[in-house]
Amino acid sequence: VHDVTDRRRTRRQLLLQRDMSMKLSETTSLVQALKICVETAIDISDMDCGTIYLFDKSSGDLLLAHSKGLGEDFLSLISNQKRDSKRAQKVMEGRPIYIRFQDSDLPLQEARVCEGIRSIAVVPILHQDKVIGCYSIGSHTLDRVPIASRTALKTISAMIGNAIVRIRAMEALEARTSELEA
């Protein structure tokens, strides 16, 4: 029974990753790409909320670029992660962070409890081994991030990184072309 369930879950995750890859290859909008990524990560992980952050080149801070399923009060507290904050420093290490319900001595713990978030995965977004942002997926019902979803969440990270770099390069090229035409 577990074997069949695992195969179904793996097949579903692979189909979601494939669909995300196809959608990302078609979009030229960074906003749309980030939305696709967060929604796919939520679906793959069976979690119910998520955010995506990008590094601000001038300040080095992590800035909230898209969110789904979170309250405005919580979002106002987490929208800007200073580069010297514990969370930003952990993200810069390039390894995913998995927060369980019973983990209690963490930054923004009080805000997390008020929002009702029970578990979180924070996954760095890498491009050519360089951290360019992160996304986090949370649950208001699950006490931990499902272990079966963790590999898929890392795979999505690489896809997101490539899409962000591609779209930014296209935007820069379009801006440069417009300057030359003016």
Side-chain angles (χ1 to χ4, degrees):
V1 174
H2 291 292
D3 238 11
V4 171
T5 303
D6 289 344
R7 279 196 303 248
R8 283 185 183 151
R9 181 184 310 111
T10 300
R11 178 171 166 66
R12 179 177 170 271
Q13 288 175 345
L14 290 171
L15 290 172
L16 287 167
Q17 288 175 22
R18 183 203 64 194
D19 292 348
M20 180 179 129
S21 178
M22 290 171 57
K23 289 176 187 174
L24 287 177
S25 69
E26 295 170 356
T27 188
T28 58
S29 162
L30 185 57
V31 171
Q32 185 62 27
L34 298 178
K35 179 180 177 187
I36 290 166
C37 296
V38 169
E39 289 176 357
T40 301
I42 289 170
D43 287 346
I44 279 180
S45 64
D46 294 323
M47 306 287 263
D48 58 33
C49 59
T51 59
I52 192 163
Y53 293 82
L54 299 176
F55 274 105
D56 179 62
K57 291 178 184 174
S58 61
S59 69
D61 294 348
L62 281 169
L63 302 179
L64 182 64
H66 181 74
S67 68
K68 180 178 180 178
L70 296 165
E72 292 299 319
D73 290 341
F74 185 69
L75 289 174
S76 69
L77 292 172
I78 65 167
S79 64
N80 184 354
Q81 302 292 317
K82 299 289 184 193
R83 74 173 169 204
D84 57 350
S85 70
K86 283 185 180 181
R87 182 173 180 187
Q89 290 174 357
K90 282 286 197 190
V91 167
M92 288 305 294
E93 291 175 9
R95 292 185 309 253
I97 303 163
Y98 301 103
I99 300 168
R100 302 168 302 162
F101 176 68
Q102 60 267 35
D103 296 335
S104 60
D105 60 340
L106 302 168
L108 300 170
Q109 175 65 18
E110 188 176 317
R112 185 178 73 141
V113 169
C114 288
E115 178 66 22
I117 298 175
R118 299 180 68 81
S119 59
I120 302 171
V122 179
V123 184
I125 299 170
L126 302 162
H127 184 262
Q128 297 180 343
D129 295 327
K130 181 181 175 196
V131 177
I132 61 171
C134 72
Y135 72 93
S136 59
I137 304 303
S139 176
H140 293 89
T141 57
L142 300 175
D143 286 346
R144 68 180 187 152
V145 177
I147 293 171
S149 301
R150 294 180 183 188
T151 300
L153 290 173
K154 288 183 214 171
T155 301
I156 288 174
S157 171
M159 295 165 67
I160 294 170
N162 290 334
I164 290 169
V165 170
R166 178 186 59 81
I167 292 169
R168 283 182 170 167
M170 288 175 52
E171 289 173 348
L173 182 60
E174 287 173 10
R176 178 100 168 122
T177 302
S178 294
E179 287 176 10
L180 293 174
E181 290 174 352

